[in-house]
Amino acid sequence: MKQYKTYNFIEITKKEFQQYQSEPISNTQAIEIQNNLFGVVDLLLKWSAEGSRKECA
């Protein structure tokens, strides 16, 4: 059976974004950062899909 690596995305987020903040990033803040990033990506995908539909019309 294939083994999969397990990732702790909260810890990864904290590590990556800590450089922008002097205080330690909490788990709650890391989750909020992730939600904001995914929200932006979702919005960009929606805009891209809307643009594709307008070009086809």
Side-chain angles (χ1 to χ4, degrees):
M1 179 171 23
K2 191 173 186 179
Q3 289 186 350
Y4 293 96
K5 289 184 179 180
T6 57
Y7 293 102
N8 186 339
F9 290 108
I10 293 174
E11 291 302 320
I12 293 169
T13 301
K14 287 166 63 174
K15 180 180 175 187
E16 291 297 322
F17 284 88
Q18 186 60 61
Q19 62 185 326
Y20 303 110
Q21 188 169 332
S22 59
E23 298 292 321
I25 295 176
S26 68
N27 287 350
T28 303
Q29 289 172 314
I31 291 168
E32 185 174 351
I33 291 168
Q34 290 176 352
N35 288 338
N36 290 339
L37 288 171
F38 290 133
V40 168
V41 170
D42 185 49
L43 182 60
L44 292 172
L45 290 171
K46 285 179 184 176
W47 286 349
S48 178
E50 288 174 7
S52 296
R53 280 184 267 160
K54 288 180 183 177
E55 291 174 7
C56 293

